[in-house]
Structure formats: structure tokens, C-alpha cells
Coordinates of all heavy atoms in Angstrom, one line a residue:
M1 N -0.9 -14.8 61.3 CA -0.3 -13.5 61.3 C -0.5 -12.8 62.7 O -1.5 -13.0 63.3 CB -0.9 -12.7 60.2 CG -0.4 -11.3 60.1 SD -1.2 -10.3 58.8 CE 0.0 -10.3 57.6
D2 N 0.5 -12.2 63.1 CA 0.5 -11.4 64.4 C -0.4 -10.2 64.2 O -0.3 -9.5 63.2 CB 1.9 -11.1 64.8 CG 2.0 -10.6 66.2 OD1 1.1 -10.9 67.0 OD2 2.9 -9.9 66.5
V3 N -1.2 -9.9 65.2 CA -2.1 -8.7 65.1 C -1.3 -7.5 65.6 O -0.7 -7.5 66.7 CB -3.3 -8.9 66.1 CG1 -4.2 -7.6 66.0 CG2 -4.1 -10.1 65.7
R4 N -1.2 -6.5 64.7 CA -0.5 -5.3 65.0 C -1.3 -4.1 64.7 O -2.0 -4.1 63.6 CB 0.9 -5.2 64.3 CG 1.8 -6.4 64.8 CD 3.1 -6.4 64.1 NE 2.8 -6.6 62.7 CZ 3.6 -6.1 61.7 NH1 4.7 -5.6 62.0 NH2 3.2 -6.3 60.4
M5 N -1.3 -3.1 65.5 CA -2.1 -1.9 65.3 C -1.1 -0.7 65.4 O -0.1 -0.8 66.0 CB -3.2 -1.8 66.3 CG -4.2 -2.9 66.1 SD -5.5 -2.9 67.4 CE -6.3 -1.4 67.1
A6 N -1.6 0.4 64.7 CA -0.8 1.6 64.8 C -1.7 2.8 64.7 O -2.8 2.8 64.2 CB 0.2 1.7 63.6
K7 N -1.2 4.0 65.3 CA -1.9 5.2 65.2 C -1.0 6.2 64.3 O 0.2 6.2 64.5 CB -2.0 5.8 66.6 CG -2.8 7.1 66.6 CD -2.8 7.7 68.0 CE -3.9 7.1 68.8 NZ -4.2 7.9 70.1
S8 N -1.7 6.9 63.4 CA -1.0 7.8 62.6 C -0.6 9.0 63.4 O -1.3 9.6 64.2 CB -2.0 8.3 61.5 OG -1.4 9.3 60.7
K9 N 0.7 9.4 63.2 CA 1.3 10.6 63.9 C 1.3 11.8 63.0 O 1.6 12.9 63.5 CB 2.7 10.3 64.4 CG 2.8 9.3 65.4 CD 4.2 9.2 66.1 CE 5.3 9.2 65.1 NZ 6.6 9.0 65.7
A10 N 1.1 11.7 61.7 CA 1.2 12.8 60.8 C 0.3 12.6 59.6 O -0.1 11.5 59.3 CB 2.7 12.9 60.3
G11 N 0.0 13.7 59.0 CA -0.8 13.7 57.8 C -2.3 14.0 58.1 O -2.6 14.3 59.3
H12 N -3.1 14.0 57.1 CA -4.5 14.4 57.3 C -5.3 13.4 58.1 O -6.4 13.6 58.7 CB -5.2 14.5 55.9 CG -5.5 13.3 55.2 ND1 -4.5 12.6 54.5 CD2 -6.6 12.5 55.2 CE1 -5.0 11.5 54.0 NE2 -6.2 11.4 54.4
D13 N -4.7 12.2 58.3 CA -5.3 11.1 59.1 C -4.7 11.0 60.5 O -4.8 10.0 61.2 CB -5.2 9.8 58.4 CG -3.8 9.3 58.2 OD1 -2.9 10.2 58.3 OD2 -3.6 8.1 58.0
K14 N -4.1 12.1 61.0 CA -3.4 12.1 62.3 C -4.4 11.6 63.4 O -5.6 12.0 63.4 CB -2.9 13.5 62.6 CG -2.2 13.6 63.9 CD -1.7 15.0 64.2 CE -0.9 14.9 65.5 NZ -0.5 16.2 65.9
D15 N -3.9 10.7 64.2 CA -4.6 10.1 65.4 C -5.6 9.0 64.9 O -6.2 8.4 65.8 CB -5.3 11.2 66.2 CG -4.4 12.1 66.9 OD1 -3.3 11.7 67.3 OD2 -4.7 13.3 67.1
Q16 N -5.6 8.7 63.7 CA -6.5 7.6 63.2 C -5.8 6.3 63.6 O -4.6 6.1 63.4 CB -6.7 7.7 61.7 CG -7.5 6.6 61.1 CD -8.9 6.7 61.5 OE1 -9.5 7.8 61.6 NE2 -9.6 5.5 61.6
V17 N -6.6 5.3 64.0 CA -6.0 4.0 64.4 C -6.3 3.0 63.2 O -7.4 3.0 62.7 CB -6.7 3.5 65.7 CG1 -6.1 2.1 66.1 CG2 -6.4 4.5 66.8
Y18 N -5.3 2.2 62.9 CA -5.4 1.2 61.8 C -4.9 -0.1 62.3 O -4.1 -0.2 63.3 CB -4.5 1.7 60.7 CG -4.9 2.9 60.0 CD1 -4.3 4.1 60.3 CD2 -5.9 2.9 59.0 CE1 -4.6 5.3 59.6 CE2 -6.2 4.1 58.3 CZ -5.6 5.3 58.6 OH -5.9 6.4 58.0
V19 N -5.2 -1.1 61.5 CA -4.6 -2.5 61.7 C -3.5 -2.6 60.6 O -3.8 -2.2 59.4 CB -5.6 -3.6 61.5 CG1 -4.9 -5.0 61.5 CG2 -6.6 -3.5 62.6
I20 N -2.3 -3.0 60.9 CA -1.3 -3.2 60.0 C -1.5 -4.5 59.2 O -1.5 -5.6 59.9 CB 0.1 -3.2 60.6 CG1 0.3 -1.8 61.3 CG2 1.2 -3.5 59.6 CD1 1.6 -1.8 62.2
I21 N -1.6 -4.5 57.9 CA -1.9 -5.7 57.2 C -0.7 -6.2 56.4 O -0.6 -7.3 56.0 CB -3.1 -5.6 56.3 CG1 -2.9 -4.5 55.2 CG2 -4.4 -5.4 57.0 CD1 -3.9 -4.5 54.1
K22 N 0.3 -5.3 56.2 CA 1.5 -5.7 55.5 C 2.6 -4.7 55.9 O 2.3 -3.5 56.3 CB 1.2 -5.6 54.0 CG 2.3 -6.2 53.1 CD 1.8 -6.3 51.7 CE 2.6 -5.4 50.8 NZ 2.2 -5.4 49.4
E23 N 3.9 -5.1 55.8 CA 5.0 -4.3 56.1 C 6.2 -4.6 55.2 O 6.4 -5.8 54.9 CB 5.4 -4.6 57.6 CG 6.5 -3.7 58.1 CD 6.7 -4.0 59.6 OE1 5.9 -4.7 60.2 OE2 7.7 -3.4 60.1
D24 N 6.9 -3.6 54.8 CA 8.1 -3.8 54.1 C 9.2 -3.0 54.8 O 9.0 -2.5 55.9 CB 8.0 -3.5 52.6 CG 7.7 -2.1 52.2 OD1 8.0 -1.2 53.0 OD2 7.1 -1.9 51.2
R25 N 10.3 -2.8 54.2 CA 11.4 -2.2 54.8 C 11.2 -0.7 55.3 O 11.5 -0.4 56.4 CB 12.6 -2.1 53.9 CG 13.9 -1.7 54.5 CD 15.0 -1.9 53.5 NE 16.2 -1.9 54.2 CZ 17.4 -1.9 53.7 NH1 17.5 -1.9 52.3 NH2 18.5 -1.9 54.4
E26 N 10.5 0.1 54.5 CA 10.3 1.5 54.8 C 8.8 1.8 55.2 O 8.6 2.8 55.8 CB 10.8 2.3 53.7 CG 11.0 3.7 54.0 CD 11.7 4.5 52.8 OE1 12.3 3.8 52.0 OE2 11.4 5.7 52.7
Y27 N 7.9 1.0 54.7 CA 6.5 1.4 54.8 C 5.7 0.3 55.5 O 6.0 -0.9 55.5 CB 5.9 1.6 53.4 CG 6.5 2.8 52.7 CD1 7.5 2.5 51.7 CD2 6.1 4.1 52.9 CE1 8.1 3.6 51.0 CE2 6.7 5.1 52.3 CZ 7.7 4.9 51.3 OH 8.3 5.9 50.7
V28 N 4.5 0.7 56.0 CA 3.5 -0.2 56.5 C 2.3 0.1 55.7 O 2.1 1.2 55.2 CB 3.2 0.0 58.0 CG1 4.3 -0.5 58.9 CG2 2.8 1.4 58.4
Y29 N 1.4 -0.9 55.6 CA 0.2 -0.8 54.8 C -0.9 -1.0 55.8 O -1.0 -2.0 56.5 CB 0.2 -1.9 53.7 CG 1.3 -1.6 52.7 CD1 2.6 -2.1 52.9 CD2 1.0 -0.8 51.6 CE1 3.6 -1.8 52.0 CE2 2.1 -0.5 50.7 CZ 3.3 -1.0 50.9 OH 4.3 -0.7 50.0
L30 N -1.8 0.0 55.9 CA -2.8 0.1 57.0 C -4.2 0.0 56.4 O -4.5 0.5 55.3 CB -2.6 1.4 57.7 CG -1.2 1.8 58.1 CD1 -1.1 3.2 58.5 CD2 -0.8 0.9 59.3
A31 N -5.1 -0.7 57.2 CA -6.5 -0.8 56.8 C -7.3 -0.5 58.0 O -7.0 -0.8 59.2 CB -6.8 -2.2 56.3
D32 N -8.5 0.2 57.7 CA -9.5 0.4 58.8 C -10.8 -0.3 58.5 O -11.7 -0.3 59.3 CB -9.7 1.9 59.0 CG -10.4 2.6 57.9 OD1 -10.7 2.0 56.9 OD2 -10.5 3.8 58.0

């Protein structure tokens, strides 16, 4: 699996960095 990371731009977790563990058409699933 390719390593992908993302930073939250909105919500109570704004600026939190996560690893993307799964993705579908509209959503990503993030874990820290």
C-alpha cells in the first residue's frame, strides 16, 4: 500500500495530521 498522509482543514481536529488507511469515492479514513 502506498503511504499517504493528510492534514485536516476543517472541524474540531483542524491542523491534525493523519495517515490515510482507506479511501472511497467521497471520503478518506484517517488514523493517528
